[in-house]
Amino acid sequence: MKSNVTFRSAGLMLAGHLYTPDDGVTGPRATVVVGHPGSGVKEQAAGLYAQRLSRAGFVALAFDAAHQGESEGEPRDLEDPAQRVEDFRAAVSFLSNRPEVDPGRIGLLGICASGGYVVSAAATDPRVRSVATVSAVDMGRQFGKGADGTQDPAVVRGMLDAAAAARTAEAGGEGVGAFPIFPATEEEARAGGRHLFEGWEYYRTDRAQHPRSATSLTWNSVDRLVSFDAFRFIGLIAPRPLLMIAGREAVTSWMTEEAIESARQPKESHWIEGASHVDLYDKDEYVSPALVKLTDFFRAGLGDRTRSAAA
């Protein structure tokens, strides 16, 4: 069953969908908070994973980050790592007071950018008992080094110059500056390589397009993102378990490798053969095996009494 819920994060009202199992079992349950990718909304990948985890017996929450989707926050389409991390802590606080949730059995699952944010949030929040990621991205690394880790340093310097100029213009009354996330046409997207095209196809076509999904990013997001290091304190997650799932074909997989290398036991990386970064958002041949692994991981880490595989 899906219910609309709201909760506050640093004074902003966030909108979420709470998924509860329809199995007739009563009492508090193990619960997973699912975070959406950058520019995503709760109705896309996060909602898919939350719904499937609910079918497997978990309570699951998918929510829109502050400044995005149906959640409050101005300017719109701001990507603020500090706020994104706080959103996950706020979600845990909200769930800890729900009757259907066992506050001692709450885990986090982050997809893409949220994969970085849940690591950062869990590192300093001992209420989180298990942490998992799918196609994890540290947005600081993404902006500083590019999705594949080979970006020319001149690119980020140019973006920081543009972000600084936009801040000056905003202070002069010109409004908040923003830039498009994806190219306008399929031809331009294909010219940018496989990773860019797959993102464009997911967000800008009938495959998964949603009217509240962001199409631009504010310039005053850039300097916040470049100075963020999602994995700096990843070692603090231990002795709680960490699982990081990525596709073998994902250009972003190097971030999962770096994170796992820095993490302490218990930790595990799990590779989905043939999958790219975006394939793990919605393609069932890759999502289903990822969910089987996630279901078993959260069942073990949260002490959950559920079915052994996601329906």
Side-chain angles (χ1 to χ4, degrees):
M1 180 176 70
K2 182 178 77 173
S3 303
N4 295 324
V5 296
T6 57
F7 58 97
R8 289 200 176 276
S9 174
L12 299 175
M13 189 67 76
L14 306 190
H17 289 157
L18 188 68
Y19 294 85
T20 53
D22 295 322
D23 55 13
V25 178
T26 59
R29 297 178 183 257
T31 300
V32 181
V33 182
V34 187
H36 61 70
S39 82
V41 288
K42 63 186 179 300
E43 290 84 1
Q44 295 171 323
L48 173 62
Y49 276 78
Q51 182 180 35
R52 296 282 292 273
L53 286 168
S54 176
R55 290 179 189 171
F58 298 92
V59 172
L61 172 68
F63 68 94
D64 290 330
H67 302 273
Q68 301 170 31
E70 288 186 300
S71 293
E72 290 182 346
E74 295 292 339
R76 303 308 295 169
D77 302 334
L78 170 68
E79 186 76 12
D80 181 353
Q83 179 68 59
R84 289 291 302 266
V85 171
E86 181 62 24
D87 291 348
F88 283 102
R89 297 191 185 109
V92 173
S93 298
F94 164 69
L95 290 167
S96 295
N97 289 282
R98 297 281 302 193
E100 63 269 70
V101 174
D102 182 341
R105 294 191 293 161
I106 297 175
L108 301 183
L109 168 60
I111 304 169
C112 185
S114 284
Y117 298 135
V118 298
V119 166
S120 183
T124 56
D125 192 336
R127 298 174 300 172
V128 177
R129 304 310 306 162
S130 295
V131 185
T133 69
V134 171
S135 296
V137 165
D138 168 25
M139 292 293 278
R141 285 170 170 80
Q142 169 111 8
F143 271 75
K145 298 182 178 181
D148 63 359
T150 65
Q151 178 177 278
D152 186 333
V155 173
V156 70
R157 288 196 295 268
M159 294 194 75
L160 288 170
D161 286 342
R167 284 183 177 271
T168 300
E170 180 184 351
E174 296 184 23
V176 178
F179 60 93
I181 298 173
F182 298 107
T185 67
E186 178 178 347
E187 181 180 15
E188 292 174 296
R190 287 189 182 277
R194 177 182 178 183
H195 183 66
L196 179 63
F197 172 71
E198 288 184 341
W200 178 89
E201 182 187 37
Y202 181 82
Y203 287 109
R204 307 301 296 149
T205 73
D206 290 342
R207 174 177 169 185
Q209 189 173 31
H210 191 279
R212 287 190 293 272
S213 180
T215 59
S216 62
L217 191 68
T218 62
W219 277 111
N220 61 10
S221 302
V222 173
D223 45 11
R224 304 174 202 228
L225 292 166
V226 171
S227 61
F228 178 65
D229 184 348
F231 305 141
R232 181 178 180 186
F233 298 108
I234 194 170
L236 292 176
I237 292 175
R240 296 165 292 163
L242 169 67
L243 169 67
M244 302 189 76
I245 298 174
R248 283 286 188 194
E249 304 302 317
V251 300
T252 57
S253 63
W254 62 279
M255 295 190 223
T256 289
E257 293 171 345
E258 283 194 359
I260 282 291
E261 179 66 25
S262 299
R264 296 166 53 201
Q265 296 288 355
K267 61 181 180 179
E268 180 183 2
S269 57
H270 182 76
W271 300 94
I272 305 295
E273 299 297 332
S276 70
H277 178 97
V278 182
D279 285 341
L280 281 165
Y281 288 9
D282 67 336
K283 292 188 176 179
D284 190 65
E285 62 265 40
Y286 306 118
V287 170
S288 284
L291 277 159
V292 169
K293 184 67 177 180
L294 288 165
T295 300
D296 290 343
F297 170 77
F298 282 123
R299 188 182 69 243
L302 302 177
D304 190 59
R305 298 176 293 275
T306 65
R307 296 188 295 277
S308 61

